Amino acid sequence: MTLLHLAVLAPFLMAIVVPFLYRYLRQIHTGWFVLLLPVLLFAYLIQFLPSVANGESIMETMAWVPSLGINFTVYVDGLGLLFALLITGIGALVVLYSIYYLSKKTEALNNFYVYLLMFMGAMLGVVLADNLIVLYVFWELTSLASSLLIGYWFHREKSRYGAQKSMLITVFGGFAMLAGFSLLYVMAGTFSIRELIAQADVIAGHALFLPAMLLVLLGAFTKSAQFPFHIWLPDAMEAPTPVSAYLHSATMVKAGIYLVARLTPVFAGGAEWFWIVSGFGLFTLIWGSYSAIKQTDLKSILAFSTVSQLGLIMCLLGIGSSAVHFGYGSPESELYLIATLTAVFHLINHATFKGCLFMVVGIVDHETGTRDIRKLGGLMTFMPVTFTLAVVGSLSMAGLPPFNGFLSKEMFFTAVLRAAQLDIFNMETWGLLFPVIAWVASVFTFIYSMILLFKTFTGKYQPEKLDKKPHEAPVGMLVSPVILGSLVIILGFFPNVLSHTLLKPAMVSILPMLLETIDHFGVHIYMWHGFNAELMMTIGVVAAGTVLYRVMFKGESIYERLRQTDPLNHIYDSALVGLIKGSIAITRVQMTGLLRDYFAYMSVFMILLLGYATYRYQALAIDMESVAPISTYVWILAIVFILSTLSVPFINHRLTAIIAVGVIGFLLALLFVVFRAPDLALTQLLVETVMVVLFLLCFYHLPELRKESFKPIFKWTNVIISVAVGAIVTLIAFGSLAAGHHLNFEPISTYFIENSYTLAGGKNMVNVILVDFRGLDTVLEVLVLAIAALGVVTMVKLRMTGREDV
């Protein structure tokens, strides 16, 4: 294991230590110990900046399941490093903020930091893994850890609801994504992302290309809260504010963005990828921004704002993919690289101003006891530093100068204007929608940014509606948002400070082959770019947004006219209720409490599955030419065997039935002797003897039970199922025998005959198979029996009377 592997796994290792720190060092806030880890990881990762900026990448591999092509390969390139620095950098600020937000006296800090560290490690694994299966494992760990974080205050119903919703939606998408990864493996024969990119031409020409793309995008859209899967994100606001800041600014919701960016070289260039990614992004942008202005909770406003901003970034990645269509090095491709560059740049900007704003909202909630803007107002004089931070974050989110949000918004306008000029993918017809929707969504963005700022800090002060007397937050709680707010300003005035070190390497990762041929490609971002269409659009946004803001909050309240709840929530709730009712109905039909019913269900399923497989692959065949003659002994044994089996259902006394079943086992051992398998016969005799003795001892001491009576139709159903099971097994045996003769398969017994002694040192092949070749299976089977035995002993010792609820 290398230091890079250890860096990814370090948060998980730290999570093991946290409960002990919390238990034995409670006088110190646990967050101070946890804070050291993201700081060290950030310092460790930042040393890769010079190498990555020079076009190099770092890769370390550790074998995991090499026989299946699954290795724990950590790959650091421009895109992975950008995300890793965001995860650890913002993570350190979030942990620092949480030390002052969560009380060490009243909060379960051990749980909080264990979940947070699990989440941090999982996100690092997602962005640094080169193998798709490893990426998927970390991906699902993010879903699990985020649900635990959202449900941290589990005594609240809304927290449990939000945690369940996020888990159901994101895990559903994760399963779809896993199916997409499997299809990619079928097409390319590898799980390595680098090797998939190298085979992009092969994948693009494959019949499974479109299904794989749709499944992968389903996973990305659910994770990044794209419409209509965005409904889990507002409910995730029930998590503590430090968690919200982390999930929204730098981590979970960006995982889908990362996946789309990472797999752009594999899927981009076609109309399907362009329209799905940009179309869903554009609709999510306008839907999220419109929904945000209807909210009265500050965190809900920011939640829908995040939905909107994620749609913006997704839309940009979709538009940027058109560059691949025009081919490497063409002038047209360079025109549309601006979209991908803007996506990367806005990713950083969004992390800074959104992280700052979430922490500001957390401070307001912490110091006033409410986040409802109908109760807030006039806090500017009580909280001047927090107000200043809110000004910086809100104006940047609204896209106003001189903050970094203005730069990326102007570049976004440039990208959609160029998209409208595309003459491919039917953009001649629909291309105008891009700048129109982008402009309208920007007006909504301006409005909800002003709502957040002015409704909270200006206007009438309403002390009677507040739970606490407001005052400025402690210095420690202000440090993190001040750092993020400073970055908003610094990146606004000096946007090119990251051009060579982060932006360009990330661009090369997203469009590697495209940019390899463009030697002169460089990133140059300017605050002032003249009186052009983009600037006119911004002036229009400010003018229209100001007028609408004034009109909307004049007279009757907007919140009485607009429905705050997203209508898609009703669909989700109804579907969940229907799912639960359906599950209960099926369970009532299936779980009858009768063992014979369960056997019947399993047998019918097996008959249908094997019958369909036999029919589908035309495996039904009977070849009697090569069958050896059946001796008299075998005929006699077979007849006794059948008669013994048929007698079992007609025996009323259970001890007699056990003896009859034992006779069947002993007859089977005799068959093994006839067929010259003494080892197998000996094993069968021993097992059968032990089983019969044990059953006789157990049933002898148990009370007699009343014999149940059933209708004739029930008995005949069982007869039909039993005969069908015997028939399908016999047909499969004949089919296998015929296939073995015609296809000349080598029997698996040959391998065991040749290797039992040389590999395991045993002459009893059956024992060698059980103990060596299937040793792990045998151990697990013994473990299951041991657990069952413990359960039986416990039940006996409880001596329950039958009234207990178990």
Side-chain angles (χ1 to χ4, degrees):
M1 180 180 293
T2 66
L3 203 55
L4 260 177
H5 291 102
L6 195 60
V8 175
L9 299 177
F12 297 102
L13 300 175
M14 185 72 185
I16 297 173
V17 180
V18 163
F20 299 100
L21 296 173
Y22 176 74
R23 182 180 178 85
Y24 296 107
L25 298 170
R26 295 197 66 161
Q27 65 276 21
I28 304 173
H29 197 290
T30 311
W32 288 114
F33 301 107
V34 176
L35 178 62
L36 293 174
L37 183 72
V39 172
L40 289 175
L41 288 176
F42 184 82
Y44 170 70
L45 290 168
I46 208 167
Q47 66 168 325
F48 295 115
L49 269 181
S51 303
V52 171
N54 291 328
E56 301 173 13
S57 56
I58 300 94
M59 187 175 70
E60 300 287 351
T61 300
M62 185 175 71
W64 184 18
V65 192
S67 58
L68 298 178
I70 302 173
N71 295 312
F72 184 14
T73 302
V74 181
Y75 184 69
V76 182
D77 64 347
L79 187 63
L81 184 60
L82 168 62
F83 273 88
L85 289 175
L86 284 177
I87 292 164
T88 53
I90 303 279
L93 297 177
V94 165
V95 172
L96 176 61
Y97 179 81
S98 69
I99 293 172
Y100 296 92
Y101 189 86
L102 296 173
S103 169
K104 67 179 180 182
K105 297 179 180 176
T106 58
E107 298 288 350
L109 297 179
N110 51 340
N111 294 341
F112 178 80
Y113 287 112
V114 166
Y115 303 156
L116 194 72
L117 287 167
M118 282 175 58
F119 187 79
M120 186 183 295
M123 277 303 305
L124 282 175
V126 167
V127 302
L128 295 178
D130 176 63
N131 190 286
L132 289 177
I133 298 300
V134 177
L135 187 152
Y136 170 75
V137 171
F138 284 116
W139 182 280
E140 293 299 26
L141 277 175
T142 63
S143 298
L144 175 64
S146 63
S147 291
L148 292 171
L149 285 169
I150 295 167
Y152 170 69
W153 286 319
F154 58 86
H155 55 278
R156 300 179 183 177
E157 185 180 353
K158 288 185 176 179
S159 296
R160 297 195 300 272
Y161 175 79
Q164 182 196 48
K165 185 187 271 189
S166 74
M167 174 70 89
L168 289 176
I169 294 177
T170 56
V171 170
F172 159 75
F175 282 144
M177 189 184 74
L178 178 62
F181 289 169
S182 301
L183 293 182
L184 283 173
Y185 182 82
V186 171
M187 288 187 276
T190 179
F191 285 119
S192 168
I193 295 174
R194 290 173 302 103
E195 293 175 15
L196 286 170
I197 293 172
Q199 300 186 53
D201 293 339
V202 177
I203 295 172
H206 202 281
L208 295 175
F209 174 78
L210 188 58
M213 184 183 75
L214 294 176
L215 290 168
V216 169
L217 284 179
L218 191 56
F221 286 176
T222 52
K223 202 70 154 183
S224 281
Q226 297 297 292
F227 184 90
F229 307 109
H230 65 283
I231 53 174
W232 69 266
L233 197 56
D235 289 295
M237 292 299 101
E238 295 303 322
T241 298
V243 174
S244 304
Y246 199 34
L247 262 63
H248 286 237
S249 63
T251 52
M252 183 173 177
V253 295
K254 300 281 174 64
I257 298 290
Y258 167 80
L259 188 68
V260 170
R262 179 59 85 190
L263 294 182
T264 289
V266 178
F267 292 113
E272 297 89 353
W273 180 266
F274 172 86
W275 273 111
I276 294 173
V277 176
S278 61
F280 272 86
L282 201 63
F283 195 82
T284 305
L285 167 66
I286 185 101
W287 184 268
S289 59
Y290 169 69
S291 300
I293 65 173
K294 300 187 296 181
Q295 307 304 311
T296 57
D297 183 278
L298 287 174
K299 285 179 76 175
S300 293
I301 295 173
L302 290 180
F304 280 104
S305 158
T306 300
V307 171
S308 172
Q309 301 288 321
L310 292 172
L312 183 151
I313 298 173
M314 197 67 83
C315 175
L316 287 167
L317 288 174
I319 296 173
S321 70
S322 62
V324 179
H325 171 83
F326 292 107
Y328 306 136
S330 65
E332 293 88 352
S333 68
E334 295 183 42
L335 288 175
Y336 298 99
L337 286 176
I338 184 74
T340 306
L341 173 62
T342 309
V344 177
F345 187 46
H346 193 66
L347 188 80
I348 301 171
N349 294 340
H350 180 257
T352 55
F353 68 69
K354 188 54 67 67
C356 176
L357 285 174
F358 262 112
M359 292 180 185
V360 165
V361 168
I363 290 172
V364 171
D365 185 20
H366 199 266
E367 305 304 332
T368 65
T370 183
R371 301 193 306 257
D372 193 331
I373 59 174
R374 292 168 297 187
K375 299 178 181 178
L376 295 170
L379 297 180
M380 180 173 59
T381 53
F382 298 95
M383 310 169 77
V385 179
T386 307
F387 169 68
T388 306
L389 292 169
V391 169
V392 172
S394 300
L395 297 187
S396 180
M397 185 165 65
L400 298 180
F403 307 107
N404 58 358
F406 169 74
L407 297 169
S408 48
K409 186 193 56 77
E410 294 287 289
M411 293 167 69
F412 172 56
F413 284 158
T414 303
V416 293
L417 287 171
R418 289 185 181 176
Q421 299 169 8
L422 280 170
D423 56 357
I424 56 173
F425 308 146
N426 288 326
M427 282 293 284
E428 305 90 338
T429 306
W430 302 102
L432 190 60
L433 286 176
F434 280 72
V436 171
I437 294 177
W439 186 82
V440 174
S442 297
V443 173
F444 289 141
T445 303
F446 179 86
I447 294 172
Y448 69 65
S449 299
M450 297 305 108
I451 292 173
L452 190 145
L453 178 62
F454 293 122
K455 289 291 178 184
T456 306
F457 293 98
T458 63
K460 184 181 178 183
Y461 173 54
Q462 308 174 84
E464 71 282 1
K465 296 182 179 179
L466 302 180
D467 297 334
K468 301 177 183 177
K469 184 179 180 182
H471 55 79
E472 188 56 272
V475 176
M477 191 179 278
L478 291 170
V479 171
S480 295
V482 165
I483 293 174
L484 290 170
S486 303
L487 287 174
V488 170
I489 299 171
I490 292 170
L491 290 176
F493 282 104
F494 307 102
N496 293 304
V497 70
L498 301 177
S499 296
H500 182 67
T501 52
L502 279 178
L503 295 179
K504 186 176 178 180
M507 287 283 292
V508 173
S509 301
I510 299 172
L511 301 167
M513 290 174 281
L514 193 64
L515 294 178
E516 281 175 358
T517 57
I518 304 177
D519 297 331
H520 60 275
F521 172 76
V523 178
H524 307 289
I525 303 171
Y526 301 102
M527 179 68 74
W528 174 249
H529 40 73
F531 291 98
N532 53 16
E534 292 87 334
L535 188 61
M536 294 300 108
M537 290 173 74
T538 298
I539 294 172
V541 165
V542 175
T546 305
V547 172
L548 284 173
Y549 176 78
R550 301 283 296 179
V551 170
M552 289 169 67
F553 290 98
K554 186 177 182 181
E556 185 183 359
S557 172
I558 181 178
Y559 305 116
E560 296 173 1
R561 286 174 275 148
L562 297 179
R563 186 178 177 184
Q564 294 177 36
T565 307
D566 196 316
L568 289 171
N569 276 317
H570 178 68
I571 298 174
Y572 168 82
D573 292 336
S574 301
L576 191 61
V577 170
L579 184 67
I580 294 171
K581 287 182 177 178
S583 301
I584 292 172
I586 292 173
T587 303
R588 283 177 179 167
V589 171
Q590 183 186 1
M591 305 302 287
T592 61
L594 296 173
L595 205 58
R596 54 170 60 87
D597 284 351
Y598 304 149
F599 274 116
Y601 296 144
M602 288 188 288
S603 299
V604 169
F605 177 75
M606 186 184 75
I607 292 166
L608 295 175
L609 184 65
L610 294 178
Y612 172 76
T614 305
Y615 167 77
R616 173 69 176 78
Y617 296 102
Q618 300 178 350
L620 182 60
I622 299 176
D623 181 8
M624 304 299 291
E625 294 180 359
S626 56
V627 175
I630 302 174
S631 66
T632 308
Y633 300 110
V634 175
W635 277 115
I636 293 172
L637 283 173
I639 292 170
V640 177
F641 194 94
I642 293 170
L643 291 175
S644 301
T645 306
L646 290 175
S647 67
V648 172
F650 299 98
I651 298 173
N652 290 324
H653 195 269
R654 59 191 182 191
L655 294 183
T656 310
I658 292 169
I659 293 172
V661 173
V663 169
I664 297 171
F666 293 130
L667 290 172
L668 190 62
L670 282 177
L671 274 176
F672 291 148
V673 172
V674 171
F675 288 116
R676 299 175 184 175
D679 295 344
L680 201 55
L682 182 61
T683 305
Q684 176 69 23
L685 280 172
L686 290 173
V687 171
E688 202 62 43
T689 304
V690 171
M691 294 295 290
V692 169
V693 170
L694 286 178
F695 271 99
L696 285 174
L697 285 173
C698 292
F699 281 90
Y700 179 77
H701 292 285
L702 288 177
E704 288 287 345
L705 299 177
R706 183 176 57 84
K707 186 175 177 61
E708 296 177 272
S709 60
F710 298 96
K711 295 179 181 178
I713 188 170
F714 178 81
K715 294 180 179 178
W716 280 110
T717 305
N718 283 351
V719 170
I720 294 171
I721 293 173
S722 303
V723 172
V725 169
I728 195 72
V729 171
T730 305
L731 290 175
I732 289 173
F734 278 118
S736 302
L737 186 66
H741 290 155
H742 291 294
L743 302 177
N744 197 25
F745 284 142
E746 184 179 353
I748 194 171
S749 58
T750 307
Y751 172 82
F752 293 118
I753 293 170
E754 293 175 352
N755 296 289
S756 290
Y757 186 76
T758 54
L759 294 182
K763 294 182 179 178
N764 187 322
M765 195 171 70
V766 176
N767 291 345
V768 168
I769 291 173
L770 289 174
V771 177
D772 293 276
F773 291 109
R774 288 185 59 239
L776 186 60
D777 290 350
T778 306
V779 169
L780 294 178
E781 287 168 2
V782 172
L783 182 63
V784 170
L785 290 175
I787 293 171
L790 284 174
V792 171
V793 170
T794 305
M795 297 286 280
V796 170
K797 283 186 173 295
L798 284 176
R799 298 182 181 280
M800 292 187 290
T801 60
R803 297 179 180 177
E804 296 86 350
D805 183 8
V806 294

